């Protein structure tokens, strides 16, 4: 069931959004070649503890997971698109790293993700990251009362397809509130003018993820990590936004 938030509830979600933005900014600042994914996870865990926040990833065990989630971050490298587990993998020069982070502050959740490259930049990787961020901006711009969910999805998909990237709608955005995953689903492909009418009070995470190759993906034996089927690079960008009468408000703005 889709639940609309009051203006007071949206204001109450702002500290969670601000905290998520602070953690992701800090992670981008400290990430470096030679660091392990577990070290990044430990950095985020310390920030959660210091803020008195609560991880909504650690121990999370949906039906598709082969085990409860073992970290507070999703850290996906190169061909890993989503849900990459924190591990002893050492980051190398040129790696494309996506970090997805959600947490609960004062009973409210916010969720956001960013992708960046470590060390020597590669033009193809940089283009993939830039287009993914541009698709996120297009989706956010379409999140207005009077539009429909298909307008958000179509805006995201149009940017990705114009760039020639693979897109899969099986995993996408979602409602956010007291829990991390609420209704509705926010696909990354769709038709304008279709789907759920957008109303003030709807709070959603919009999260395009594009693949430099085709549309196919595979899931690792861990039941979590989603990889491009052809081994191509992937990028992921996400913000939690509130739809208001005057338009979208990005709660996780960095």
């Amino acid at each position: 069931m889709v639940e609309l938030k009051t203006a007071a509830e949206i204001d109450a979600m702002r500290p969670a959004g601000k905290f998520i933005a602070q953690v992701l900014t800090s992670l981008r600042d400290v990430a470096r070649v030679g660091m392990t994914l577990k070290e990044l996870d430990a950095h985020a865990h310390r920030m959660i503890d210091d803020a008195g926040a609560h991880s909504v990833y650690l121990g999370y065990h949906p039906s598709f997971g082969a085990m409860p989630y073992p970290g507070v971050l999703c850290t996906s490298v190169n061909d890993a698109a989503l849900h990459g587990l924190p591990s002893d993998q050492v980051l190398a020069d040129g790696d494309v790293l996506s970090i997805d982070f959600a947490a609960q502050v004062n009973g409210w959740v916010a969720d956001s993700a960013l992708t960046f490259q470590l060390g020597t930049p590669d033009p193809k990787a940089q283009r993939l990251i830039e287009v993914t961020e541009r698709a996120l901006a297009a989706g956010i711009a379409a999140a207005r009362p009077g539009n429909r969910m298909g307008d958000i999805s179509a805006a995201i998909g149009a940017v990705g397809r114009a760039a020639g990237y693979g897109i899969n709608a099986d995993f996408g955005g979602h409602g956010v509130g007291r829990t991390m995953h609420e209704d509705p689903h926010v696909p990354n492909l769709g038709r304008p003018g279709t789907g759920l009418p957008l109303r003030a009070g709807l709070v959603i995470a919009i999260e395009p993820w594009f693949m430099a190759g085709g549309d196919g993906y595979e899931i690792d034996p861990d039941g979590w990590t989603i990889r491009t089927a052809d081994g191509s690079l992937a990028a992921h960008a996400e913000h939690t936004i509130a739809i208001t009468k005057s338009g979208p408000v990005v709660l996780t703005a960095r």
Side-chain angles (χ1 to χ4, degrees):
M1 182 177 69
V2 176
E3 294 186 4
L4 300 179
K5 276 69 175 179
T6 65
E9 287 173 328
I10 290 172
D11 282 343
M13 295 183 73
R14 291 179 184 273
K18 182 178 180 180
F19 175 66
I20 296 300
Q22 290 171 340
V23 173
L24 285 175
T25 298
S26 180
L27 288 165
R28 183 165 191 164
D29 288 344
V30 303
R32 64 186 184 277
V33 173
M35 185 178 243
T36 69
L37 299 180
K38 280 186 177 178
E39 287 176 312
L40 284 174
D41 194 75
H43 179 86
H45 207 155
R46 287 192 294 272
M47 291 189 73
I48 290 171
D49 290 344
D50 290 346
H54 173 72
S55 172
V56 293
Y57 285 176
L58 188 63
Y60 180 57
H61 195 184
S63 58
F64 61 81
M67 57 185 171
Y69 198 78
V72 301
L73 299 176
C74 291
T75 46
S76 306
V77 182
N78 296 331
D79 65 324
L82 301 171
H83 307 160
L85 303 181
S87 69
D88 292 322
Q89 179 177 349
V90 177
L91 292 166
D93 184 52
D95 275 348
V96 173
L97 173 64
S98 296
I99 302 177
D100 192 354
F101 177 59
Q104 187 182 73
V105 177
N106 299 329
W108 293 100
V109 175
D111 191 1
S112 186
L114 79 168
T115 300
F116 56 96
Q117 191 170 26
L118 290 98
T120 308
D122 173 73
K124 291 183 178 179
Q126 292 298 310
R127 178 176 180 266
L128 173 64
I129 294 167
E130 187 275 330
V131 170
T132 307
E133 292 175 346
R134 187 151 41 88
L136 174 59
I140 292 170
R144 296 180 174 276
N147 282 354
R148 289 179 175 267
M149 188 64 72
D151 295 308
I152 297 176
S153 302
I156 292 169
V159 174
R161 290 300 195 208
Y165 292 139
I167 309 174
N168 194 291
D170 289 351
F171 294 87
H174 48 88
V176 184
R178 292 289 186 180
T179 61
M180 177 170 54
H181 291 134
E182 297 183 354
D183 291 332
H185 176 58
V186 185
N188 290 321
L189 288 170
R191 291 186 295 114
T194 65
L196 178 76
L198 303 180
R199 297 169 57 192
L202 182 64
V203 178
I204 53 176
I206 299 175
E207 51 178 316
W209 59 285
F210 294 160
M211 298 171 279
D215 293 346
Y217 67 85
E218 298 175 346
I219 300 179
D220 281 3
D222 62 31
W224 285 101
T225 308
I226 298 174
R227 297 186 185 276
T228 60
D230 54 13
S232 62
L233 292 177
H236 177 206
E238 178 182 16
H239 274 309
T240 296
I241 67 111
I243 299 176
T244 71
K245 292 180 180 179
S246 56
V249 174
V250 180
L251 299 177
T252 50
R254 292 184 290 276

